[in-house]
Amino acid sequence: MSQATNQSWGGRFSEPTDAFVARFTASVSFDQRLAGQDIQGSIAHATMLARVGVLSDEERDSIIDGLTEIQGEIERGEFEWSVPLEDVHMNIEARLTQKIGITGKKLHTGRSRNDQVATDIRLFMRDAIDSIDAELMRLREGMIGLAEREADTIMPGFTHLQTAQPVTFGHHLLAWQEMLARDHERLLDTRKRVNVMPLGAAALAGTTYPIDRHVTAELLGFSRPAENSLDAVSDRDFAIEFASFSSILLMHLSRMSEELVLWTSAQFDFIDLPDRFCTGSSIMPQKKNPDVPELVRGKTGRVYGHLMSLLTLMKSQPLAYNKDNQEDKEPLFDTVDTVLDCLKAFADMVPAIEPKKESMFEAARRGFSTATDLADYLVRRGVAFRDAHEIVGQSVAFGLKEKKDLSEMTLEELQQFSDTIEADVFEVLTLEGSVAARNHIGGTAPDQVRAAASRALEALKAHREAP
Ligand code: ARG
């Protein structure tokens, strides 16, 4: 039927669709991915139509049996997708009619492809969100576990990528996990607005059949039918929201990736990544490249791109459905695939990070990272903070000249800059003393890190057990 006009709407046409136009307007090459959701939606629709007496029970059963067989054909790769049939919806409907005859043509009663496709995408998004939820949970759990194990591991904390103050590696990891916890909240919040049912809106204005949208919504697990038919078939803001969640998540993963890349370099030498997450160079035999984090960092770009596509796709569209919306699928599918892959990569990789504790400790010791602790020590002994700042600045200048960290100087050397300094100063100049002193909620002290990790695990557990 390649030259024929599409049977589903050909009635008012006097010439066949141009072959190029048929190919240009078809979406079946990519929307066949929605086949499972399309069949699920159709089964619920037919069930509801029988419940309200629009279809007989026999017709409903015949439709459901036919659709179930088609599902099997698709899963086994036997289904023949046809471009002239335009999209997933008409491909499945045509096959149904081929199988069960005239009853197949009754399935579309009280429905339009406009509410059908909007329903399919929302079902697809809901499944995708649930898979992403599970993967985020796995990643966060692994990250918190590593943070707990590394609660005492000291590393330099940075501002401007310059050594600032010592922190614990566990504290750094829990900073990452806080980012992910917020992303997770955004995901679950998006799910609430995804899980609303367009079906029943029909083309745009609703339908004259005595449908019961609450029945269909319940059968499909939606929280409620969409309130307004014009809005239900047209807006894709839920997809934009999902892409924006994804962009923020990938932004966070790209920051973590960047740190992993830096830390595996010889210049930092803070961690090792197991070989299975790295690749070699075809020319330089010594190389072990952190490809996985680099690729996650790179994939951030395409997800930002999809967010821009979807925002621009929706911009200025008049109510209600417009064909523009067919363009929502490819960016959405790729966003889902990319997010799931990146989360999987991270969830597998993070628990396998091997910190090089001595090297981290050495780096923290070298960078005058306890300078603020010395200033605080002087302030506790009555020196004004600005004066203390000046005294420590002179001590650091001396250390730079003599190539000595503050804790390596003798008491006499330190006393050149202030006679307020006494022997107990060395308690605050050690890295262990410095981190242990930041002992309040949100601080880097090992005890605080352990407490924060257990709170984070509790929160995850509560989410997992939530209904
Ligand atoms: N393939 C279309 C889409 O993805 C389905 C809806 C078509 N509706 C229409 N009135 N042409 O949006």
Side-chain angles (χ1 to χ4, degrees), residues 361-377:
F361 191 88
E362 257 318 291
R365 222 175 48 77
R366 273 195 316 268
F368 299 99
S369 65
T370 53
T372 317
D373 298 86
L374 178 55
D376 291 344
Y377 169 90

mmCIF file with all atom_site columns, all heavy atoms in Angstrom, residues 361-377:
data_model
loop_
_atom_site.group_PDB
_atom_site.id
_atom_site.type_symbol
_atom_site.label_atom_id
_atom_site.label_alt_id
_atom_site.label_comp_id
_atom_site.label_asym_id
_atom_site.label_entity_id
_atom_site.label_seq_id
_atom_site.pdbx_PDB_ins_code
_atom_site.Cartn_x
_atom_site.Cartn_y
_atom_site.Cartn_z
_atom_site.occupancy
_atom_site.B_iso_or_equiv
_atom_site.pdbx_formal_charge
_atom_site.auth_seq_id
_atom_site.auth_comp_id
_atom_site.auth_asym_id
_atom_site.auth_atom_id
_atom_site.pdbx_PDB_model_num
ATOM 1   N N   . PHE A 1 361 ? 46.941 12.438 51.877 1.00 0.00 ? 361 PHE A N   1
ATOM 2   C CA  . PHE A 1 361 ? 47.395 13.040 53.130 1.00 0.00 ? 361 PHE A CA  1
ATOM 3   C C   . PHE A 1 361 ? 48.584 13.967 52.874 1.00 0.00 ? 361 PHE A C   1
ATOM 4   O O   . PHE A 1 361 ? 48.634 15.103 53.347 1.00 0.00 ? 361 PHE A O   1
ATOM 5   C CB  . PHE A 1 361 ? 47.789 11.919 54.110 1.00 0.00 ? 361 PHE A CB  1
ATOM 6   C CG  . PHE A 1 361 ? 48.031 12.397 55.512 1.00 0.00 ? 361 PHE A CG  1
ATOM 7   C CD1 . PHE A 1 361 ? 46.977 12.486 56.418 1.00 0.00 ? 361 PHE A CD1 1
ATOM 8   C CD2 . PHE A 1 361 ? 49.314 12.762 55.937 1.00 0.00 ? 361 PHE A CD2 1
ATOM 9   C CE1 . PHE A 1 361 ? 47.196 12.931 57.717 1.00 0.00 ? 361 PHE A CE1 1
ATOM 10  C CE2 . PHE A 1 361 ? 49.536 13.217 57.219 1.00 0.00 ? 361 PHE A CE2 1
ATOM 11  C CZ  . PHE A 1 361 ? 48.475 13.301 58.127 1.00 0.00 ? 361 PHE A CZ  1
ATOM 12  N N   . GLU A 1 362 ? 49.530 13.465 52.076 1.00 0.00 ? 362 GLU A N   1
ATOM 13  C CA  . GLU A 1 362 ? 50.719 14.256 51.732 1.00 0.00 ? 362 GLU A CA  1
ATOM 14  C C   . GLU A 1 362 ? 50.324 15.586 51.063 1.00 0.00 ? 362 GLU A C   1
ATOM 15  O O   . GLU A 1 362 ? 50.868 16.645 51.365 1.00 0.00 ? 362 GLU A O   1
ATOM 16  C CB  . GLU A 1 362 ? 51.600 13.465 50.754 1.00 0.00 ? 362 GLU A CB  1
ATOM 17  C CG  . GLU A 1 362 ? 52.816 12.837 51.364 1.00 0.00 ? 362 GLU A CG  1
ATOM 18  C CD  . GLU A 1 362 ? 53.517 13.771 52.342 1.00 0.00 ? 362 GLU A CD  1
ATOM 19  O OE1 . GLU A 1 362 ? 54.089 14.788 51.887 1.00 0.00 ? 362 GLU A OE1 1
ATOM 20  O OE2 . GLU A 1 362 ? 53.468 13.505 53.562 1.00 0.00 ? 362 GLU A OE2 1
ATOM 21  N N   . ALA A 1 363 ? 49.358 15.490 50.162 1.00 0.00 ? 363 ALA A N   1
ATOM 22  C CA  . ALA A 1 363 ? 48.924 16.685 49.429 1.00 0.00 ? 363 ALA A CA  1
ATOM 23  C C   . ALA A 1 363 ? 48.317 17.697 50.398 1.00 0.00 ? 363 ALA A C   1
ATOM 24  O O   . ALA A 1 363 ? 48.534 18.908 50.269 1.00 0.00 ? 363 ALA A O   1
ATOM 25  C CB  . ALA A 1 363 ? 47.911 16.307 48.356 1.00 0.00 ? 363 ALA A CB  1
ATOM 26  N N   . ALA A 1 364 ? 47.576 17.203 51.376 1.00 0.00 ? 364 ALA A N   1
ATOM 27  C CA  . ALA A 1 364 ? 46.968 18.113 52.343 1.00 0.00 ? 364 ALA A CA  1
ATOM 28  C C   . ALA A 1 364 ? 48.044 18.739 53.222 1.00 0.00 ? 364 ALA A C   1
ATOM 29  O O   . ALA A 1 364 ? 47.954 19.901 53.622 1.00 0.00 ? 364 ALA A O   1
ATOM 30  C CB  . ALA A 1 364 ? 45.952 17.364 53.192 1.00 0.00 ? 364 ALA A CB  1
ATOM 31  N N   . ARG A 1 365 ? 49.082 17.947 53.515 1.00 0.00 ? 365 ARG A N   1
ATOM 32  C CA  . ARG A 1 365 ? 50.148 18.431 54.397 1.00 0.00 ? 365 ARG A CA  1
ATOM 33  C C   . ARG A 1 365 ? 51.001 19.506 53.706 1.00 0.00 ? 365 ARG A C   1
ATOM 34  O O   . ARG A 1 365 ? 51.498 20.426 54.356 1.00 0.00 ? 365 ARG A O   1
ATOM 35  C CB  . ARG A 1 365 ? 51.048 17.242 54.781 1.00 0.00 ? 365 ARG A CB  1
ATOM 36  C CG  . ARG A 1 365 ? 51.471 17.208 56.236 1.00 0.00 ? 365 ARG A CG  1
ATOM 37  C CD  . ARG A 1 365 ? 52.255 15.942 56.516 1.00 0.00 ? 365 ARG A CD  1
ATOM 38  N NE  . ARG A 1 365 ? 53.297 15.714 55.522 1.00 0.00 ? 365 ARG A NE  1
ATOM 39  C CZ  . ARG A 1 365 ? 54.458 16.359 55.474 1.00 0.00 ? 365 ARG A CZ  1
ATOM 40  N NH1 . ARG A 1 365 ? 54.750 17.266 56.375 1.00 0.00 ? 365 ARG A NH1 1
ATOM 41  N NH2 . ARG A 1 365 ? 55.321 16.099 54.520 1.00 0.00 ? 365 ARG A NH2 1
ATOM 42  N N   . ARG A 1 366 ? 51.122 19.369 52.393 1.00 0.00 ? 366 ARG A N   1
ATOM 43  C CA  . ARG A 1 366 ? 51.992 20.281 51.658 1.00 0.00 ? 366 ARG A CA  1
ATOM 44  C C   . ARG A 1 366 ? 51.419 21.679 51.455 1.00 0.00 ? 366 ARG A C   1
ATOM 45  O O   . ARG A 1 366 ? 52.169 22.625 51.311 1.00 0.00 ? 366 ARG A O   1
ATOM 46  C CB  . ARG A 1 366 ? 52.302 19.703 50.257 1.00 0.00 ? 366 ARG A CB  1
ATOM 47  C CG  . ARG A 1 366 ? 53.465 18.777 50.212 1.00 0.00 ? 366 ARG A CG  1
ATOM 48  C CD  . ARG A 1 366 ? 53.906 18.566 48.776 1.00 0.00 ? 366 ARG A CD  1
ATOM 49  N NE  . ARG A 1 366 ? 52.788 18.350 47.864 1.00 0.00 ? 366 ARG A NE  1
ATOM 50  C CZ  . ARG A 1 366 ? 52.297 17.156 47.553 1.00 0.00 ? 366 ARG A CZ  1
ATOM 51  N NH1 . ARG A 1 366 ? 52.837 16.065 48.071 1.00 0.00 ? 366 ARG A NH1 1
ATOM 52  N NH2 . ARG A 1 366 ? 51.278 17.030 46.722 1.00 0.00 ? 366 ARG A NH2 1
ATOM 53  N N   . GLY A 1 367 ? 50.122 21.797 51.485 1.00 0.00 ? 367 GLY A N   1
ATOM 54  C CA  . GLY A 1 367 ? 49.544 23.059 50.995 1.00 0.00 ? 367 GLY A CA  1
ATOM 55  C C   . GLY A 1 367 ? 49.218 24.105 52.057 1.00 0.00 ? 367 GLY A C   1
ATOM 56  O O   . GLY A 1 367 ? 48.375 24.962 51.820 1.00 0.00 ? 367 GLY A O   1
ATOM 57  N N   . PHE A 1 368 ? 49.861 24.074 53.228 1.00 0.00 ? 368 PHE A N   1
ATOM 58  C CA  . PHE A 1 368 ? 49.545 25.015 54.326 1.00 0.00 ? 368 PHE A CA  1
ATOM 59  C C   . PHE A 1 368 ? 48.046 24.992 54.649 1.00 0.00 ? 368 PHE A C   1
ATOM 60  O O   . PHE A 1 368 ? 47.434 26.015 54.905 1.00 0.00 ? 368 PHE A O   1
ATOM 61  C CB  . PHE A 1 368 ? 49.955 26.456 53.965 1.00 0.00 ? 368 PHE A CB  1
ATOM 62  C CG  . PHE A 1 368 ? 51.428 26.587 53.717 1.00 0.00 ? 368 PHE A CG  1
ATOM 63  C CD1 . PHE A 1 368 ? 51.926 26.584 52.419 1.00 0.00 ? 368 PHE A CD1 1
ATOM 64  C CD2 . PHE A 1 368 ? 52.330 26.692 54.775 1.00 0.00 ? 368 PHE A CD2 1
ATOM 65  C CE1 . PHE A 1 368 ? 53.288 26.679 52.178 1.00 0.00 ? 368 PHE A CE1 1
ATOM 66  C CE2 . PHE A 1 368 ? 53.697 26.790 54.541 1.00 0.00 ? 368 PHE A CE2 1
ATOM 67  C CZ  . PHE A 1 368 ? 54.182 26.787 53.236 1.00 0.00 ? 368 PHE A CZ  1
ATOM 68  N N   . SER A 1 369 ? 47.473 23.771 54.599 1.00 0.00 ? 369 SER A N   1
ATOM 69  C CA  . SER A 1 369 ? 46.023 23.690 54.715 1.00 0.00 ? 369 SER A CA  1
ATOM 70  C C   . SER A 1 369 ? 45.540 23.970 56.132 1.00 0.00 ? 369 SER A C   1
ATOM 71  O O   . SER A 1 369 ? 44.345 24.123 56.351 1.00 0.00 ? 369 SER A O   1
ATOM 72  C CB  . SER A 1 369 ? 45.531 22.330 54.228 1.00 0.00 ? 369 SER A CB  1
ATOM 73  O OG  . SER A 1 369 ? 46.019 21.312 55.083 1.00 0.00 ? 369 SER A OG  1
ATOM 74  N N   . THR A 1 370 ? 46.456 24.041 57.109 1.00 0.00 ? 370 THR A N   1
ATOM 75  C CA  . THR A 1 370 ? 45.985 24.323 58.469 1.00 0.00 ? 370 THR A CA  1
ATOM 76  C C   . THR A 1 370 ? 46.228 25.782 58.853 1.00 0.00 ? 370 THR A C   1
ATOM 77  O O   . THR A 1 370 ? 46.182 26.150 60.028 1.00 0.00 ? 370 THR A O   1
ATOM 78  C CB  . THR A 1 370 ? 46.657 23.386 59.503 1.00 0.00 ? 370 THR A CB  1
ATOM 79  O OG1 . THR A 1 370 ? 48.071 23.475 59.337 1.00 0.00 ? 370 THR A OG1 1
ATOM 80  C CG2 . THR A 1 370 ? 46.205 21.950 59.312 1.00 0.00 ? 370 THR A CG2 1
ATOM 81  N N   . ALA A 1 371 ? 46.474 26.608 57.847 1.00 0.00 ? 371 ALA A N   1
ATOM 82  C CA  . ALA A 1 371 ? 46.715 28.040 58.125 1.00 0.00 ? 371 ALA A CA  1
ATOM 83  C C   . ALA A 1 371 ? 45.533 28.673 58.866 1.00 0.00 ? 371 ALA A C   1
ATOM 84  O O   . ALA A 1 371 ? 45.714 29.460 59.804 1.00 0.00 ? 371 ALA A O   1
ATOM 85  C CB  . ALA A 1 371 ? 46.998 28.786 56.818 1.00 0.00 ? 371 ALA A CB  1
ATOM 86  N N   . THR A 1 372 ? 44.311 28.331 58.452 1.00 0.00 ? 372 THR A N   1
ATOM 87  C CA  . THR A 1 372 ? 43.135 28.897 59.130 1.00 0.00 ? 372 THR A CA  1
ATOM 88  C C   . THR A 1 372 ? 43.076 28.419 60.581 1.00 0.00 ? 372 THR A C   1
ATOM 89  O O   . THR A 1 372 ? 42.665 29.174 61.470 1.00 0.00 ? 372 THR A O   1
ATOM 90  C CB  . THR A 1 372 ? 41.835 28.476 58.411 1.00 0.00 ? 372 THR A CB  1
ATOM 91  O OG1 . THR A 1 372 ? 42.027 28.586 57.006 1.00 0.00 ? 372 THR A OG1 1
ATOM 92  C CG2 . THR A 1 372 ? 40.679 29.362 58.830 1.00 0.00 ? 372 THR A CG2 1
ATOM 93  N N   . ASP A 1 373 ? 43.507 27.175 60.809 1.00 0.00 ? 373 ASP A N   1
ATOM 94  C CA  . ASP A 1 373 ? 43.498 26.664 62.188 1.00 0.00 ? 373 ASP A CA  1
ATOM 95  C C   . ASP A 1 373 ? 44.457 27.463 63.070 1.00 0.00 ? 373 ASP A C   1
ATOM 96  O O   . ASP A 1 373 ? 44.162 27.726 64.235 1.00 0.00 ? 373 ASP A O   1
ATOM 97  C CB  . ASP A 1 373 ? 43.900 25.185 62.192 1.00 0.00 ? 373 ASP A CB  1
ATOM 98  C CG  . ASP A 1 373 ? 42.913 24.334 61.414 1.00 0.00 ? 373 ASP A CG  1
ATOM 99  O OD1 . ASP A 1 373 ? 43.065 24.226 60.172 1.00 0.00 ? 373 ASP A OD1 1
ATOM 100 O OD2 . ASP A 1 373 ? 41.959 23.822 62.019 1.00 0.00 ? 373 ASP A OD2 1
ATOM 101 N N   . LEU A 1 374 ? 45.612 27.856 62.494 1.00 0.00 ? 374 LEU A N   1
ATOM 102 C CA  . LEU A 1 374 ? 46.558 28.659 63.268 1.00 0.00 ? 374 LEU A CA  1
ATOM 103 C C   . LEU A 1 374 ? 45.947 30.029 63.586 1.00 0.00 ? 374 LEU A C   1
ATOM 104 O O   . LEU A 1 374 ? 46.048 30.523 64.717 1.00 0.00 ? 374 LEU A O   1
ATOM 105 C CB  . LEU A 1 374 ? 47.872 28.811 62.485 1.00 0.00 ? 374 LEU A CB  1
ATOM 106 C CG  . LEU A 1 374 ? 48.958 29.672 63.142 1.00 0.00 ? 374 LEU A CG  1
ATOM 107 C CD1 . LEU A 1 374 ? 49.299 29.164 64.556 1.00 0.00 ? 374 LEU A CD1 1
ATOM 108 C CD2 . LEU A 1 374 ? 50.234 29.699 62.280 1.00 0.00 ? 374 LEU A CD2 1
ATOM 109 N N   . ALA A 1 375 ? 45.283 30.600 62.605 1.00 0.00 ? 375 ALA A N   1
ATOM 110 C CA  . ALA A 1 375 ? 44.641 31.903 62.834 1.00 0.00 ? 375 ALA A CA  1
ATOM 111 C C   . ALA A 1 375 ? 43.574 31.778 63.932 1.00 0.00 ? 375 ALA A C   1
ATOM 112 O O   . ALA A 1 375 ? 43.500 32.606 64.848 1.00 0.00 ? 375 ALA A O   1
ATOM 113 C CB  . ALA A 1 375 ? 44.020 32.429 61.538 1.00 0.00 ? 375 ALA A CB  1
ATOM 114 N N   . ASP A 1 376 ? 42.758 30.720 63.845 1.00 0.00 ? 376 ASP A N   1
ATOM 115 C CA  . ASP A 1 376 ? 41.718 30.508 64.862 1.00 0.00 ? 376 ASP A CA  1
ATOM 116 C C   . ASP A 1 376 ? 42.337 30.330 66.256 1.00 0.00 ? 376 ASP A C   1
ATOM 117 O O   . ASP A 1 376 ? 41.804 30.809 67.264 1.00 0.00 ? 376 ASP A O   1
ATOM 118 C CB  . ASP A 1 376 ? 40.852 29.285 64.510 1.00 0.00 ? 376 ASP A CB  1
ATOM 119 C CG  . ASP A 1 376 ? 39.976 29.528 63.281 1.00 0.00 ? 376 ASP A CG  1
ATOM 120 O OD1 . ASP A 1 376 ? 39.803 30.710 62.892 1.00 0.00 ? 376 ASP A OD1 1
ATOM 121 O OD2 . ASP A 1 376 ? 39.469 28.538 62.706 1.00 0.00 ? 376 ASP A OD2 1
ATOM 122 N N   . TYR A 1 377 ? 43.491 29.649 66.312 1.00 0.00 ? 377 TYR A N   1
ATOM 123 C CA  . TYR A 1 377 ? 44.210 29.430 67.576 1.00 0.00 ? 377 TYR A CA  1
ATOM 124 C C   . TYR A 1 377 ? 44.596 30.777 68.185 1.00 0.00 ? 377 TYR A C   1
ATOM 125 O O   . TYR A 1 377 ? 44.403 31.037 69.376 1.00 0.00 ? 377 TYR A O   1
ATOM 126 C CB  . TYR A 1 377 ? 45.448 28.576 67.270 1.00 0.00 ? 377 TYR A CB  1
ATOM 127 C CG  . TYR A 1 377 ? 46.462 28.464 68.388 1.00 0.00 ? 377 TYR A CG  1
ATOM 128 C CD1 . TYR A 1 377 ? 46.373 27.445 69.328 1.00 0.00 ? 377 TYR A CD1 1
ATOM 129 C CD2 . TYR A 1 377 ? 47.533 29.373 68.467 1.00 0.00 ? 377 TYR A CD2 1
ATOM 130 C CE1 . TYR A 1 377 ? 47.330 27.331 70.347 1.00 0.00 ? 377 TYR A CE1 1
ATOM 131 C CE2 . TYR A 1 377 ? 48.486 29.258 69.473 1.00 0.00 ? 377 TYR A CE2 1
ATOM 132 C CZ  . TYR A 1 377 ? 48.374 28.241 70.413 1.00 0.00 ? 377 TYR A CZ  1
ATOM 133 O OH  . TYR A 1 377 ? 49.319 28.150 71.415 1.00 0.00 ? 377 TYR A OH  1
#
